[in-house]
Amino acid sequence: MKKLALIFTTICVLFLVSCENPAKSRLYTEEGSKQLLRYSDYKKAEETLTEAIKYDKRNFEAYYYRGCAKVNAMKYNEAIADFEKAVELKPDYADAYFNMGKTYFLMNDEDKACEYYKLAEEYGRPNMEDYLRRCN
């Protein structure tokens, strides 16, 4: 009986630890964005934002900021995957479209960059004129 109780308790603890926790995810997202924006610690920001995603797979901001960290670390394909996930979760996320455009521009794919710049403008990103000037 004691062994059964121990197994049940262990399963309950593992279940609780593995559950999503949006509040904890939000804390990791805030910390990761601070590391990214204030301290330019891209590696630590990426790790922290990965923790945020672990606690809430629907945290579009965590994917967005992790994408930004990856762009700064020149992991362009990984960054695009994160930006795509952010817009999958929040289809009108103008900043994610904009950063996808910037990333494609860094990869010398101006056609794709323009495609995403146009989407960013469509979803309300201000001051897109200079970026769209390069587009047909």
Side-chain angles (χ1 to χ4, degrees):
M1 189 67 168
K2 285 184 180 182
K3 189 174 185 179
L4 185 60
L6 179 62
I7 292 171
F8 179 74
T9 303
T10 303
I11 290 170
C12 287
V13 168
L14 290 173
F15 177 75
L16 290 173
V17 169
S18 67
C19 287
E20 289 198 0
N21 184 336
K24 198 166 194 174
S25 179
R26 166 72 30 221
L27 291 173
Y28 277 111
T29 301
E30 289 174 13
E31 180 61 28
S33 64
K34 283 181 194 172
Q35 290 164 342
L36 175 64
L37 299 173
R38 291 190 184 144
Y39 307 115
S40 299
D41 189 347
Y42 309 124
K43 183 178 182 194
K44 184 69 175 164
E46 184 180 339
E47 292 168 359
T48 303
L49 292 159
T50 298
E51 284 296 307
I53 292 165
K54 182 174 94 175
Y55 286 106
D56 184 359
K57 304 255 186 282
R58 297 174 309 251
N59 185 339
F60 63 91
E61 287 183 310
Y63 286 102
Y64 169 75
Y65 284 118
R66 189 173 74 173
C68 293
K70 288 177 178 180
V71 167
N72 285 297
M74 298 191 318
K75 299 177 184 177
Y76 300 136
N77 290 321
E78 291 179 33
I80 287 182
D82 279 344
F83 294 139
E84 287 174 342
K85 185 65 177 180
V87 298
E88 175 187 320
L89 296 168
K90 185 173 176 19
D92 63 345
Y93 198 3
D95 286 339
Y97 288 114
F98 174 71
N99 278 293
M100 266 196 280
K102 283 178 46 178
T103 305
Y104 277 113
F105 185 79
L106 290 169
M107 296 169 69
N108 295 315
D109 188 340
E110 288 191 33
D111 292 336
K112 275 288 215 196
C114 287
E115 178 183 330
Y116 287 105
Y117 289 154
K118 289 174 185 174
L119 284 168
E121 181 182 52
E122 180 182 325
Y123 287 111
R125 180 94 167 49
N127 305 317
M128 293 300 300
E129 300 81 19
D130 287 340
Y131 295 96
L132 291 170
R133 211 172 279 143
R134 300 180 188 130
C135 303
N136 295 335

